[in-house]
Amino acid sequence: FIRTSAKNYDPPMAHYEVERIITDTMNRVKNSSVKEIESAVKNFTPRTITQVAVERKEEKDLEKDAPTTGYPELDKIITGFVPGHLYTVTGNTNVGKTALGTNFAERLRRQGKKTLYFALEPENTVVDYLASVRTGKMFADLTEDDIKFDDGMISIYGKQEIQTLDDLVSAVSNSKVR
C-alpha cells in the first residue's frame, strides 16, 4: 500500500524514502509490546453535534486572537496562525519555503508571539534568513551581530535534534513554546 501510494504522489516519492518509511514502521511495530500497540489503536466513536459545536466555539475564540501571517489574502483563508494548530509548508526544492517560513517567524516575533521553527535542511543557514528578513539586508551585508540577534521569541529545532519521526512528534508534544 505504501509503495503504491508513494508512486501516485506528484512528484512521486523517492524509492529510498519509501523504503525508509516501511523499515521504520516495521521496526516500530517489532520493538513495541502488545500493550503499546493495543493502546495506540483508538476506539473511534462519533461526537455529537453539541460536542462539535462547543469545540467550534472554542476555535472561533482562538481565531479572534490569532496573530496574522502578514499576508492578508492568506489570513482570509486560514484566519491567521490559530494557537494550537500546526502549520506545515511543503514544496519542491528551491521554491522559497525557507524564505516564507522565516518571514512568518519574523512577523510573529514582531507581534510578540513565540515561534517554534523546524529547520530540517541545512538548519544553521536559517539564522541568515531570519536576520535578512528582520533587517531587510541581503545575506552578503549581514553582520555577525545581525545573525546572532536573539530575543528568545524564535526557537529552532534542526536535524541534529530531529532525526526521526518519533523525535518530531516528541518535540511538538513536549513543546513549551506557546
Side-chain angles (χ1 to χ4, degrees):
F1 171 78
I2 292 171
R3 288 182 183 103
T4 303
S5 296
K7 287 178 187 174
N8 293 327
Y9 289 160
D10 186 18
M13 187 179 278
H15 176 74
Y16 72 91
E17 291 174 323
V18 175
E19 295 307 313
R20 190 194 76 235
I21 290 169
I22 292 169
T23 301
D24 288 351
T25 303
M26 290 171 56
N27 287 337
R28 176 68 183 243
V29 171
K30 185 170 50 175
N31 295 327
S32 297
S33 69
V34 171
K35 189 173 184 174
E36 288 173 320
I37 294 170
E38 287 174 349
S39 70
V41 177
K42 296 180 181 178
N43 182 11
F44 290 102
T45 55
R47 296 174 292 155
T48 66
I49 290 176
T50 302
Q51 290 169 320
V52 175
V54 167
E55 290 173 14
R56 181 62 188 129
K57 182 185 179 325
E58 291 170 357
E59 283 179 352
K60 282 185 174 186
D61 290 343
L62 288 173
E63 289 171 359
K64 291 176 190 172
D65 297 325
T68 67
T69 66
Y71 298 94
E73 294 299 316
L74 181 58
D75 287 329
K76 286 180 189 175
I77 296 169
I78 68 169
T79 321
F81 289 119
V82 179
H85 289 199
L86 175 66
Y87 297 89
T88 306
V89 177
T90 65
N92 291 332
T93 303
N94 290 325
V95 295
K97 297 180 299 292
T98 299
L100 180 64
T102 53
N103 270 277
F104 286 155
E106 174 60 20
R107 288 167 184 202
L108 289 167
R109 186 193 69 77
R110 290 178 186 170
Q111 295 173 67
K113 304 296 181 182
K114 289 190 172 191
T115 301
L116 183 58
Y117 191 102
F118 290 86
L120 303 180
E121 73 277 351
E123 73 271 9
N124 292 335
T125 61
V126 74
V127 295
D128 296 333
Y129 281 90
L130 288 166
S132 178
V133 172
R134 187 177 39 75
T135 64
K137 295 180 182 179
M138 301 295 287
F139 283 10
D141 299 327
L142 293 171
T143 67
E144 189 174 329
D145 287 339
D146 292 333
I147 293 171
K148 288 187 343 185
F149 174 84
D150 185 2
D151 62 359
M153 297 302 286
I154 301 172
S155 299
I156 302 169
Y157 276 114
K159 286 189 301 188
Q160 59 198 50
E161 296 88 14
I162 308 297
Q163 296 179 5
T164 67
L165 180 57
D166 286 340
D167 293 342
L168 180 63
V169 170
S170 179
V172 171
S173 299
N174 296 316
S175 171
K176 301 286 189 257
V177 177
R178 297 258 181 241

